Amino acid sequence: MLYYKGAWVQGVWIPPNTSLGVHQWATYRSETNFHDANGYHPERWMRNPKFKNDRLDCVQIFSVGATSFPAEIFLWYVIRLVFASRLLNFDIELADEASEWPRQKSYWIWRTRPLMCRILPVKKIVAA
């Protein structure tokens, strides 16, 4: 991040035209950003209440600025394509718990609940 006019950061004056950065490892391992930052907890990405105060927005998997991954947009298309091709091999059914899903509260934003589904292998149709 380049500060053209200067700025105060964590109580330290950053002069104008100074480039400032923070290493990702330090950001991701900071207890300020994550509960049990050095532990392996995939559930932190699944809205587990134990990790409700985690700063998931600080994670930039493709970096930012001059060091960002140049093919990030292309990579997201590839991820979507692979995901869509996997979906072709499965049937998705709504679970009984999803019956109330359409009746959700909406204020300024729509706050959705998880849409519960069952994912089953595709039923093969054998032609006679």
Side-chain angles (χ1 to χ4, degrees), residues 11-127:
V12 176
W13 174 251
I14 306 299
N17 300 316
T18 301
S19 181
L20 176 68
V22 177
H23 196 278
Q24 290 179 351
W25 190 92
T27 302
Y28 301 163
R29 298 290 191 245
S30 171
E31 295 288 335
T32 304
N33 295 328
F34 298 102
H35 171 71
D36 191 16
N38 290 305
Y40 176 70
H41 300 288
E43 61 272 18
R44 86 170 68 243
W45 301 97
M46 296 178 229
R47 297 188 178 134
N48 185 314
K50 181 178 177 184
F51 302 101
K52 69 179 182 202
N53 294 323
D54 283 5
R55 295 280 318 271
L56 302 180
D57 60 320
C58 75
V59 176
Q60 299 293 325
I61 58 174
F62 296 114
S63 192
V64 291
T67 61
S68 67
F69 183 58
E72 176 182 356
I73 294 170
F74 175 72
L75 183 60
W76 281 116
Y77 283 116
V78 170
I79 290 170
R80 288 182 185 112
L81 181 64
V82 169
F83 184 69
S85 68
R86 294 295 100 210
L87 283 178
L88 289 175
N89 295 311
F90 296 95
D91 288 329
I92 301 174
E93 299 175 350
L94 285 177
D96 296 335
E97 304 93 282
S99 63
E100 294 295 317
W101 195 82
R103 294 187 256 319
Q104 297 186 48
K105 294 182 179 179
S106 175
Y107 301 101
W108 284 55
I109 59 171
W110 187 21
R111 298 191 53 132
T112 61
R113 296 185 302 267
L115 180 58
M116 305 305 289
C117 301
R118 280 187 287 283
I119 300 175
L120 308 165
V122 169
K123 296 175 182 132
K124 305 287 184 196
I125 299 174
V126 179

